[in-house]
Amino acid sequence: MNQILLLSGVVIILSVFLHKLSMKMGVPVLLAFLLLGIVFGIDGVFKIHFENFELSGSVCSFGLIFIMFSGGFGTNWKEAKFVAGEAVLLSSLGVVFTALSVAAFCTLLLHMEFSWGLLLGSLIASTDAASVFSILRSRRLSLKDRTASLLEFESGSNDPMAYMMTLLSLELVQGTVKISEMLSMLFLQIVLGLLIGGVIAFFALYMMKKIAVLTDGFELIFVLGAVLLSYALSTSLGGNGYLAVYLTGIILGNQKIKQKKEMVQFFDALTGIMQMLLFFLLGLLSTPSRLPGVAFNAIGIFLFLTFVGRPMVVFTLMHFFPASRNKKLLLSFAGLRGAASIVFAILAVDTVGRGDYIYHLIFLIVLLSILLQGSFLPKVSEKLDMIDAEGDVMKTFTDYTEEKEVQFIEFQVPKGHSWAGEKIKDIRMPPETMVILLERDGKKDIPNGDTEILVGDRVVIASAKPALSSDLEIIELEVDYGSIYAEKRIAEIPRDDSERVMLIERGEEVLIPRGDTLIQVGDVLVMYRLKKG
């Protein structure tokens, strides 16, 4: 027992160290943990013999639940909605076309049976969000034309379709598939997954708003239970559990719920632990000495997928959307394969056997993808002139790390204002507030109590962020062309005594509205209103 605990402690510490190192180097964290697992495996330094595919599959499937939920929970819908059409097409038809193209390659050039080619294509049809965004985050690699949002949305949502394709191809390999049963299973997987994921998410939101919270942390525990319920209920009824938890994550992550910052931190940490465990286990399960036996087919499939299959699918489907050639090329190259492919390979091993061949073939393809595509993604982005130097890739995520416990108010002192001509020490300020900056005639100064405020001064006030009154709620509304607020002044918008426009976000600018302030298309109105009921 002590040896197991000692080994576990060493592995966890090394995993954390490798995580930090990989973030600094810009190498996907998946590669570091896979290599650590190999070091501890049968061909590594510690010679641990581990070939329990059934246990590995169960552990990895459980870990994917939280990885999928966290991917949805961190999706910023404000950014993602602009690329939703492209992302949905790539994560659905894109997965199907990718699997079919690989199947055709394996059948025509590698002389496999079509059913086995389709199985291999299905296993590697999905792209890996963790690998792509470990690079984007660590390098702060902002991409033009909302390409980062598109990559996030696609890679976060295409695993369910790849999972369904894997199930179908397994049935085909076993010779038990029927067209009617196949269509029925597809329908149930998608519809039930979406339905149950949405119902559980809105049920959780309703309960968190209506039930009085008696203990801190209740919301976090409740959301954790909702995640497990969403997956288990969907799977039990024949739906796609991963699709359900991903949708649950998107809905909950884009709502204003209590303790959201703490939830994001918790699920980030939980996902990190799951990734460490999952990737280490996959590396431990591998036997590198068997890789040369699958190298020819693995390299051939990887090269076809990277330079023919994926680009062909991307250029075909993105033809229906306004996208530059360079954007399509970057989307093609950024289609990294990752953990889900190896996890689905374990499922295939449990179902049809041939563990040495299937698992290690997929394992090597994933290694090549992470090593080559992952390492060269920043350089390819720069070469294609797709880097947005003024952008911030972190806006793609709803990680809420930029929330502050201090808020700032800025205004210019008008003629006739009660502060004009007064010293700061003589002004009656609200509790927990202070004047921290004063700008006069273009010169900025840190004021003190004896500083006199004059007409025309720009004053910045800092105050502690207050807790929101239980009777009020804050909402955000983006103004589009069909909005009743578009191209109207504040004084002209329909009057509602229960809500007011508090501020306007216009690009990087924040405006405190007045009656004559003109609302423009694209503005985000931050409004406060009385809660109903």
Side-chain angles (χ1 to χ4, degrees):
M1 184 63 180
N2 286 336
Q3 291 178 339
I4 295 176
L5 293 176
L6 177 62
L7 178 61
S8 300
V10 171
V11 170
I12 291 174
I13 291 173
L14 287 175
S15 296
V16 174
F17 173 76
L18 286 174
H19 184 275
K20 294 292 184 181
L21 183 62
S22 67
M23 290 292 284
K24 289 183 179 180
M25 295 176 62
V27 177
V29 68
L30 171 58
L31 180 61
F33 295 149
L34 283 177
L35 295 178
L36 183 63
I38 290 174
V39 169
F40 278 82
I42 189 64
D43 285 346
V45 177
F46 296 92
K47 305 294 184 182
I48 297 177
H49 185 73
F50 181 77
E51 290 186 336
N52 194 329
F53 284 92
E54 183 178 356
L55 174 61
S56 301
S58 299
V59 172
C60 292
S61 295
F62 181 76
L64 275 181
I65 295 173
F66 296 101
I67 293 173
M68 290 294 296
F69 173 79
S70 184
F73 199 71
T75 297
N76 187 341
W77 183 247
K78 287 183 181 179
E79 293 291 323
K81 67 182 179 180
F82 295 104
V83 296
E86 298 102 305
V88 170
L89 202 59
L90 288 172
S91 62
S92 54
L93 287 180
V95 170
V96 176
F97 291 164
T98 299
L100 290 173
S101 68
V102 172
F105 172 80
C106 292
T107 302
L108 297 175
L109 296 181
L110 300 182
H111 308 295
M112 297 182 186
E113 294 181 12
F114 178 80
S115 58
W116 282 98
L118 183 62
L119 175 59
L120 295 177
S122 299
L123 294 176
I124 57 174
S126 63
T127 55
D128 185 66
S131 297
V132 172
F133 281 91
S134 68
I135 299 173
L136 297 182
R137 286 190 181 205
S138 62
R139 298 287 184 90
R140 290 279 178 167
L141 193 63
S142 299
L143 303 176
K144 296 179 180 178
D145 302 331
R146 292 194 170 92
T147 305
S149 294
L150 178 52
L151 285 170
E152 178 206 7
F153 203 161
E154 181 209 359
S155 57
S157 58
N158 61 13
D159 285 342
M161 180 59 74
Y163 177 71
M164 287 185 282
M165 287 296 295
T166 299
L167 294 180
L168 288 174
S169 58
L170 284 172
E171 293 285 336
L172 189 62
V173 167
Q174 293 175 304
T176 58
V177 67
K178 296 180 180 178
I179 297 298
S180 58
E181 293 178 355
M182 179 181 69
L183 295 176
S184 176
M185 186 178 74
L186 273 175
F187 179 79
L188 286 175
Q189 286 270 316
I190 296 173
V191 173
L192 288 179
L194 292 174
L195 179 62
I196 292 173
V199 169
I200 294 298
F202 286 111
F203 170 76
L205 286 171
Y206 176 81
M207 295 298 289
M208 284 189 288
K209 289 180 180 179
K210 293 298 181 181
I211 296 178
V213 179
L214 301 178
T215 306
D216 290 339
F218 171 85
E219 289 88 353
L220 176 57
I221 297 173
F222 190 83
V223 169
L224 190 62
V227 174
L228 296 175
L229 179 61
S230 182
Y231 177 83
L233 184 59
S234 179
T235 303
S236 299
L237 296 178
N240 190 297
Y242 297 123
L243 181 60
V245 296
Y246 182 71
L247 181 60
T248 300
I250 288 180
I251 295 174
L252 292 180
N254 287 275
Q255 296 292 322
K256 294 186 179 297
I257 55 179
K258 295 180 181 178
Q259 297 184 340
K260 181 180 284 185
K261 184 177 180 179
E262 289 77 8
M263 289 183 191
V264 171
Q265 294 172 343
F266 172 79
F267 283 111
D268 276 351
L270 180 61
T271 299
I273 293 172
M274 290 297 178
Q275 287 176 341
M276 290 180 190
L277 174 62
L278 189 150
F279 300 157
F280 173 80
L281 191 60
L282 296 176
L284 185 66
L285 193 62
S286 69
T287 307
S289 60
R290 297 173 180 171
L291 294 179
V294 299
F296 179 80
N297 286 350
I299 294 173
I301 294 173
F302 167 73
L303 292 176
F304 170 80
L305 180 62
T306 305
F307 298 107
V308 180
R310 167 80 176 178
M312 182 172 59
V313 170
V314 168
F315 272 78
T316 299
L317 297 180
M318 292 298 292
H319 176 73
F320 301 100
F321 301 94
S324 66
R325 177 176 173 273
N326 283 358
K327 180 177 180 178
K328 294 174 184 177
L329 287 172
L330 183 58
L331 288 172
S332 301
F333 188 80
L336 278 75
R337 312 299 133 173
S341 296
I342 306 179
V343 174
F344 296 156
I346 294 176
L347 171 65
V349 169
D350 285 338
T351 305
V352 298
R354 297 184 66 179
D356 288 354
Y357 178 77
I358 295 177
Y359 182 80
H360 289 93
L361 178 69
I362 300 301
F363 186 87
L364 184 53
I365 292 173
V366 169
L367 274 181
L368 291 170
S369 178
I370 295 171
L371 185 60
L372 297 178
Q373 291 173 274
S375 299
F376 287 100
L377 180 58
K379 293 182 180 180
V380 171
S381 302
E382 182 178 1
K383 194 72 174 177
L384 293 173
D385 192 28
M386 285 297 295
I387 296 179
D388 184 2
E390 298 180 357
D392 183 4
V393 71
M394 300 310 291
K395 290 182 179 180
T396 306
F397 307 94
T398 55
D399 58 7
Y400 304 94
T401 55
E402 295 182 355
E403 287 191 358
K404 303 175 178 64
E405 298 304 320
V406 177
Q407 61 182 355
F408 301 96
I409 300 173
E410 175 185 333
F411 74 101
Q412 191 168 26
V413 179
K415 185 177 181 179
H417 195 278
S418 60
W419 287 11
E422 295 286 334
K423 292 183 178 181
I424 290 179
K425 66 182 180 182
D426 297 327
I427 296 173
R428 295 186 62 182
M429 300 281 290
E432 299 183 350
T433 61
M434 65 181 297
V435 177
I436 62 170
L437 181 67
L438 188 145
E439 181 177 355
R440 181 180 300 161
D441 299 327
K443 183 180 179 182
K444 299 177 182 178
D445 290 310
I446 305 297
N448 56 42
D450 292 322
T451 301
E452 183 179 0
I453 296 178
L454 303 179
V455 172
D457 286 351
R458 186 176 69 88
V459 179
V460 179
I461 304 170
S463 66
K465 180 182 285 187
L468 188 63
S469 167
S470 59
D471 298 323
L472 294 174
E473 60 181 344
I474 302 295
I475 61 171
E476 292 185 0
L477 176 67
E478 184 167 355
V479 180
D480 55 28
Y481 286 100
S483 173
I484 60 173
Y485 300 102
E487 304 303 327
K488 287 188 173 64
R489 301 189 185 277
I490 292 292
E492 298 173 344
I493 63 177
R495 186 77 173 179
D496 188 338
D497 292 333
S498 66
E499 67 181 31
R500 293 288 187 276
V501 177
M502 183 167 60
L503 57 87
I504 299 174
E505 296 178 5
R506 182 173 294 164
E508 297 297 323
E509 187 180 6
V510 176
L511 306 176
I512 304 298
R514 300 183 304 180
D516 60 351
T517 301
L518 181 66
I519 301 173
Q520 301 177 5
V521 173
D523 286 351
V524 176
L525 306 183
V526 181
M527 311 171 74
Y528 65 92
R529 68 183 180 191
L530 289 172
K531 291 183 179 179
K532 297 180 180 179

